[in-house]
Amino acid sequence: MRTTGVIPSRPKRRLWFGSGIGRLNYRHKQRLFIYGGLLIPLLYFVVIRILPILYSFNVSFREWGMLSPDKPFVGFDNYATLLSDSLFLKSLVNTGIYVVVGVPAQLIAGLIVALLLQQVVKLRGLFRTAYFIPYVTSVVAVSWIFRWLLMKNGIVNALFIELGLGPQSFLYSPSQAIFWIIAVMVWQNIGFQMLIFLAGLQNIPKLYYEAAAIDGATGWQRFVHITIPLLNPVMLLSVVMASIGFLQSFTQVLNMTGGGPLDSTISVVLHIYNLAFKSFDMGLASAATVILFVIIFMLTLVQLKVLGSRFQQE
Amino acid sequence: MTESGYFSFRPSKTLQFLIAGLLLLSITACSAKPSEESGSAAVTASSVQTEKEPITIEYWQYEFPAKVELINTLIQEFETEHPNIKVKQTNFPYDQYNQKVATLVPAGKGPDVINLYYGWLPKYVQSGYLQPLPESSFPGIAEAFFPFVDTAKLNGSYYALPTGVRTLGLFYNKDLFTKAGLDPEKPPTTWEELVSDAKALTETDKNGQLVTEGFAWEPGSQLHHWFRDGLLYQAGGKDTSEDRRKILWNDTPAGLEAFKYLVDFATVHKVGINGFYTDDANAFKTGHAAINVDGSYRLGSIKKDTPDLNFAVAPLPGYKGKSTQASFWANAIPANVTGEKLEAATAFLQFLISKGVQEQWVEKVGELPAQKEVALQDKYVNDPLLGPFISQLNDANAHFFIDETQERTLFVNAVDEVLLNHVPEEQAFNDLVAKTQKLYDDYWAKQDKKK
């Protein structure tokens, strides 16, 4: 990493390489410290995240049998195989359902809880903790508890029968299962969502509400014209994070249904997992990973563009 | 990252700089280890020449506490018998096993004896990871072992040998038998009896909800094995052709008959459902299922989790013939093991399949001896829990796998089509055969292309 002094036009820069650190002035030392400090996490990030991503691009263009010594280059074969594989397409559609249903549900639920909690004066900490605990509980444990609750002869069904609603199939129904999984995911994320919204709500100056109240705005009007617009930056963050989260649905699916019944709950990431670690076909799995990566990337860009611009206008 | 460069774009100056730096970093990081390795290898090689130091071989198996502990004791035993050989055991979590093998073996860090699930063998053999076992050191395998060991014979040679084996049997709850007015000493022995007993044992509440399953019904657990190696053969069918290319399930009416028999438990007789108390093993252990088809390995977990369960084991009920499923973990020698290491590895493998080791394996791990002479001793045959499994070993089939997960999913989906979408059984079954055959065709097409 030596520059060998090719750029003589800016002699000041030589300080960095020519002379010892001891001769740097305070500002330079400060900068060196800051950039040095930033460099380490950046390097870590590049080595742990970016390089594997680039590498998986490489793998996705090869027939990469886990155990075969030669990994021939096959161009877009893996992509073609995936796009003609009905199970992969099904997993794409399902993942779409996870996002389209899950993200708004999570946002609305989180917002409602945050608004209610804001009104609570007594035992605020207790309620916050209660809503936050699921978020920090092991996903696998939560999945299994719900699997237990939702089994055909489980407590929830006993309740349904008691209420005269009749027994439900829950996780054994191709039409219901995916929504129960989404419900569990939303339930588990409410705490996190609530926390973000609470922070956002606290940043809205009281003054606006007082002014609106004097002008005779109703509670609903205040909510729609003050709370919602001013929460926009927080919502942008939530939408992006929640979308990425639901696009990567995996643990709950694997533990609650394993992708069944009749592949009705299989997500892209679960499919990738099966391809890679059950069928040992790293090429196909990598191609699927790249496709998912592109989808997440595009979707996040669009969200930042659309939601972000709205925020700037208001 | 070999021949075809994937950095075909032209990166900007800064990016070039960054990439160069990273590459430098990765090169230094990578190169550190191999140089150490080669250094130590050179040392051992020279010292072997001078004063005959013990050879160290490595044994790999997955992390299963009972097996790991036993192998550790066995290694000590082996090392006293062979003072010039040292064995080092390495373990990996089950779900990372193949991954570790695939990354470490090409890097020259592989084992000298490796423990593999028999269903993985075709993949390992075809990718050239294993060498056939030297015939001179392992004579008479076909006579000494139970027939299922044939699955480890590929391209005409044995590539692996098991120490222990699991088969399927009929677990039944004696208390529930008594409660239903059945004789707990007379488990069902035929297809018909299984159905009538299961019906008698089933209990529902006033809402028509199951309280006790007469027959635990979980296609995703063991029932797909029961179908392929039990019911199908019992009804007079066969799993695949000799060359393992063609699925023969619907070549005779036996296949559909077996499929219908299995599905009817849920649809017609209504004696069991999917996911009752989360799964069949759980339902049986907690006393909510009266009969369960499960493997001999379940004996250990019942003993540990529910030691008070009053249960017994019987051979699988028969029909036109008898048959059960066998599966096993087998020990193989990787292709790159040669010379003195190969001799040591062979000695260790011979030790692993010896009578003494197989006996310890039954007692400590709970898997059945894979060799006739060992298994058919009175002390095992007359054991009330092991006996029923052992008595079936001669009729045990271990079917060939292309991809265990996919094959199971296809079966579970076929059953679900009948159950949830009310597709006629025959149609669901023919679909299943066609889809499984396609899986096999794709696999063999790839294999043929390689040749």
Side-chain angles (χ1 to χ4, degrees), chain A residues 43 46 55 58 62 66-69 73 147-148 151-153 161 167 172 174 261-263 277-280, chain B residues 1 3-4 22 98-99 102 123-124 127 129 207 209 273 275-278 403 405-406 413 416 420-421:
Chain A
L43 264 184
V46 167
Y55 196 67
N58 174 28
R62 289 167 185 281
M66 190 74 144
L67 299 162
S68 48
F73 187 83
R147 191 173 155 173
W148 184 262
M151 64 189 183
K152 271 186 196 154
N153 56 321
I161 294 167
Y172 295 94
L262 293 173
D263 306 320
F277 300 113
K278 303 286 177 184
S279 307
F280 310 123
Chain B
M1 260 203 277
E3 57 284 347
S4 58
L22 283 168
N98 283 290
Q99 203 183 341
K123 269 198 171 139
Y124 273 82
S127 24
Y129 262 41
N207 297 312
Q209 292 291 95
I273 50 170
F276 190 66
Y277 284 92
T278 67
D403 182 329
T405 310
Q406 283 200 54
N413 283 355
D416 276 346
L420 304 171
N421 290 345

Side-chain angles (χ1 to χ4, degrees), chain B residues 138-312:
Chain B
F138 300 95
I141 291 173
E143 296 80 50
F145 283 81
F146 286 103
F148 57 78
V149 82
D150 254 17
T151 336
K153 194 176 187 180
L154 294 141
N155 316 324
S157 329
Y158 288 98
Y159 277 85
L161 286 173
T163 305
V165 59
R166 311 101 167 250
T167 62
L168 290 181
L170 197 78
F171 287 70
Y172 66 97
N173 185 315
K174 285 177 146 184
D175 290 342
L176 291 175
F177 263 63
T178 315
K179 198 175 152 200
L182 298 171
D183 183 351
E185 301 308 320
K186 279 191 184 157
T189 56
T190 64
W191 279 23
E192 265 174 54
E193 281 175 25
L194 180 58
V195 172
S196 60
D197 283 2
K199 279 185 184 163
L201 288 157
T202 303
E203 211 187 310
T204 49
D205 67 9
K206 58 179 187 339
N207 297 312
Q209 292 291 95
L210 267 180
V211 178
T212 309
E213 275 185 321
F215 180 75
W217 197 82
E218 197 77 28
S221 294
Q222 299 301 324
L223 295 192
H224 61 291
H225 293 310
W226 186 41
F227 165 77
R228 275 181 87 162
D229 293 316
L231 298 175
L232 183 68
Y233 282 88
Q234 291 177 356
K238 257 196 111 181
D239 186 42
T240 57
S241 58
E242 287 293 319
D243 61 3
R244 294 166 180 161
R245 282 170 185 259
K246 194 167 183 311
I247 299 286
L248 297 180
W249 304 349
N250 60 356
D251 258 32
T252 57
L256 182 59
E257 194 182 359
F259 185 75
K260 268 189 175 158
Y261 178 74
L262 192 148
V263 177
D264 281 353
F265 281 104
T267 52
V268 178
H269 315 310
K270 298 189 193 302
V271 294
I273 50 170
N274 216 332
F276 190 66
Y277 284 92
T278 67
D279 63 43
D280 59 336
N282 207 355
F284 183 77
K285 281 199 261 185
T286 53
H288 294 97
I291 300 176
N292 189 23
V293 170
D294 209 341
S296 42
Y297 44 79
R298 191 66 66 198
L299 292 173
S301 79
I302 292 179
K303 202 163 139 191
K304 190 169 143 255
D305 300 340
T306 48
D308 298 331
L309 189 71
N310 185 18
F311 76 104

Side-chain angles (χ1 to χ4, degrees), chain A residues 288-309:
Chain A
T289 313
V290 169
I291 293 176
L292 183 65
F293 171 79
V294 170
I295 291 174
I296 291 179
F297 192 72
M298 300 300 279
L299 193 71
T300 306
L301 277 187
V302 169
Q303 284 171 343
L304 287 175
K305 193 104 185 140
V306 173
L307 294 171
S309 66

Side-chain angles (χ1 to χ4, degrees), chain A residues 146 148-151 153-161 170 180:
Chain A
F146 274 94
W148 184 262
L149 291 172
L150 292 173
M151 64 189 183
N153 56 321
I155 298 167
V156 180
N157 233 349
L159 206 74
F160 269 60
I161 294 167
F170 299 119
W180 288 106

